Amino acid sequence: MLTGMTTLVSCSEDDELLPEVVESEVYDEGVAEDVTAEVGTEGTRLSYESWIMVKGITRANFDNRVSVTLNGQFGDVSAVCPVNYWDIGSYETIISRETADQYTDGFVTVTDSVLVYTVSFNEFSFSYRLNYDVAVYDDGATRQVMPYHYYSNLVDKGGTLETADSYVDGDYAYARRIYRHSISVEFGGQTYDLQAEVTLRRLLGPANEPYILNSTVLAKSVEPNPDGEGFLSSITVRSKMSAGGEEENTYTAVLPAISDRYTGEEITVDGTLADLELLGSEVVEQGRSFEDGGEYVTLERIEENCVVHYNRFDLTIPLVRYEAMFDNIVLQEDMAGAAYDGSSVRVTGADWAFIESNGNKDHYFLTLTIEIKIGDLSVEGVYNGWFVFVKQS
């Protein structure tokens, strides 16, 4: 809570009861340029004088100097936040204002206000709270906000995510990362730096059971699966344990690469088969889903479309591939994998089987075969579909 002291210099002889003011006006005002800053365990406390000159009429004329000490306060941020993943992504910032407390002394009411600067990620957020006072003079005839200093030129300096050993808090052990962030802000002509230290943590288990202190990736590899289609991805990890000693383990994941035979809906084309021209192709992602890949491994199924562009229509052949992520809670790491190369699509066959002619319409059945590279492998895809070419009269 911020407090202040109001000094009223009055010509009235009645010091206990405030006089009834018939009329008044503020004819001068000011604020001290020098702001006192005191650094303590709860942060930095700021104070300075704000004043106005008021003249008016009660039972007699008066000419008063009304003075109040206004305060400000801010401090560094320390927080602990649970998260599900170490890949925290980017953040957005939100500026808001709050009212914390209020007190009145004579004709002056001081409101303790807060500028809140929030740094918000998908899974966690934290806020810098910058307190400042605003004083309002109100004698019933005149109401005026007295001069005050405000926070300005706030600069976000960004942050960094640091690794740290797992630790025990109470009855549980947690894996952790330390996120450090900083801002600078001006108040009363002075620039101040504020720091935030946020402990991000993930639950490992009971503190009385062995847990992983830290993990390091020793090697990653991906190769064609010798036992079937797709790829075999491997990661070797060394872990330091809370009970002492180290463990070195290799984890593997099978990553299928799939293209099924696809039958499309009938397509009507204005023109003839001779008018067609192949323009190119691309791979377009459609969606992702997750599957269990074994101990510490999560598979991500990625559905994509190979889109073959003709001058009159597009043909779509569904593709599926997989990626894998290793996550033992302490270490989260993408495993090696392979992606379809959209620039390598090759049409290896286009069989236009003529079915019949019906007036100005020619009916065909197309079997289109493509070949597309993924890593060191090639995957074949087939599109089947009926076409009606409408001859122009």
Side-chain angles (χ1 to χ4, degrees):
M1 182 184 300
L2 304 182
T3 60
M5 179 180 296
T6 306
T7 303
L8 300 178
V9 182
S10 175
C11 297
S12 171
E13 296 179 357
D14 188 351
D15 294 331
E16 295 183 358
L17 297 177
L18 294 175
E20 180 182 356
V21 177
V22 178
E23 62 180 70
S24 64
E25 65 173 326
V26 175
Y27 65 90
D28 198 5
E29 64 181 18
V31 62
E33 295 183 0
D34 294 332
V35 177
T36 301
E38 297 181 1
V39 180
T41 57
E42 297 183 357
T44 300
R45 184 181 179 88
L46 310 169
S47 62
Y48 61 96
E49 181 191 26
S50 173
W51 58 269
I52 59 175
M53 295 298 296
V54 185
K55 63 181 179 180
I57 300 174
T58 56
R59 288 174 297 183
N61 294 341
F62 67 87
D63 192 346
N64 293 340
R65 185 180 192 274
V66 180
S67 174
V68 61
T69 299
L70 300 181
N71 298 312
Q73 187 172 352
F74 55 79
D76 292 336
V77 176
S78 179
V80 177
C81 298
V83 295
N84 293 313
Y85 302 100
W86 296 133
D87 184 11
I88 61 177
S90 59
Y91 63 86
E92 64 176 358
T93 58
I94 304 168
I95 296 178
S96 59
R97 292 168 179 80
E98 298 177 2
T99 298
D101 201 1
Q102 192 175 78
Y103 72 92
T104 300
D105 188 356
F107 291 135
V108 177
T109 298
V110 178
T111 301
D112 177 14
S113 303
V114 188
L115 173 65
V116 183
Y117 186 79
T118 301
V119 178
S120 179
F121 290 85
N122 286 336
E123 290 204 319
F124 72 97
S125 64
F126 59 91
S127 299
Y128 298 92
R129 297 181 64 83
L130 312 174
N131 292 68
Y132 62 99
D133 280 350
V134 178
V136 177
Y137 174 86
D138 188 353
D139 60 16
T142 294
R143 186 181 188 277
Q144 179 162 320
V145 177
M146 297 176 66
Y148 65 96
H149 288 301
Y150 185 66
Y151 296 101
S152 62
N153 296 329
L154 194 153
V155 178
D156 190 312
K157 296 185 176 182
T160 58
L161 186 64
E162 302 174 4
T163 60
D165 284 353
S166 304
Y167 78 119
V168 171
D169 185 10
D171 296 330
Y172 296 95
Y174 298 89
R176 63 175 168 173
R177 297 284 188 274
I178 307 298
Y179 181 72
R180 303 186 190 278
H181 184 269
S182 63
I183 63 173
S184 66
V185 65
E186 289 186 14
F187 189 91
Q190 298 294 318
T191 300
Y192 300 92
D193 293 320
L194 288 77
Q195 314 289 330
E197 180 180 299
V198 183
T199 298
L200 309 179
R201 69 185 191 184
R202 302 173 67 191
L203 178 65
L204 285 170
N208 58 0
E209 297 181 3
Y211 58 89
I212 300 172
L213 283 176
N214 58 65
S215 294
T216 305
V217 176
L218 299 181
K220 292 193 291 186
S221 65
V222 62
E223 60 184 2
N225 184 9
D227 299 327
E229 297 180 350
F231 299 89
L232 188 65
S233 179
S234 299
I235 185 170
T236 301
V237 176
R238 176 186 293 144
S239 297
K240 184 177 180 181
M241 308 303 295
S242 62
E246 294 182 343
E247 296 181 0
E248 186 174 313
N249 297 289
T250 298
Y251 304 87
T252 60
V254 176
L255 308 179
I258 306 167
S259 175
D260 292 329
R261 181 179 293 269
Y262 178 74
T263 300
E265 297 181 355
E266 184 178 88
I267 297 176
T268 300
V269 183
D270 291 332
T272 67
L273 181 59
D275 296 328
L276 289 188
E277 181 183 354
L278 179 62
L279 301 179
S281 60
E282 62 179 326
V283 175
V284 181
E285 184 175 317
Q286 299 300 301
R288 298 185 177 222
S289 58
F290 296 94
E291 302 174 9
D292 181 27
E295 184 181 19
Y296 298 145
V297 175
T298 298
L299 297 179
E300 187 172 19
R301 177 186 172 95
I302 304 169
E303 298 181 358
E304 298 173 312
N305 284 338
C306 177
V307 183
V308 181
H309 299 291
Y310 282 85
N311 58 332
R312 301 294 177 88
F313 52 80
D314 293 335
L315 301 181
T316 298
I317 301 175
L319 304 172
V320 175
R321 66 183 177 91
Y322 280 79
E323 293 181 352
M325 182 179 68
F326 175 83
D327 187 358
N328 65 358
I329 301 180
V330 172
L331 173 69
Q332 183 180 336
E333 181 81 12
D334 289 333
M335 298 173 63
Y340 287 107
D341 181 2
S343 64
S344 73
V345 179
R346 188 166 65 96
V347 176
T348 58
D351 181 13
W352 291 93
F354 175 73
I355 306 300
E356 64 176 355
S357 289
N358 184 1
N360 66 335
K361 297 180 180 179
D362 290 338
H363 295 258
Y364 288 85
F365 184 82
L366 169 65
T367 300
L368 179 75
T369 305
I370 66 162
E371 186 181 78
I372 180 171
K373 289 283 189 181
I374 178 170
D376 295 330
L377 301 178
S378 294
V379 172
E380 185 178 84
V382 178
Y383 176 93
N384 291 328
W386 296 92
F387 285 79
V388 178
F389 288 88
V390 181
K391 302 174 187 178
Q392 301 298 316
S393 57

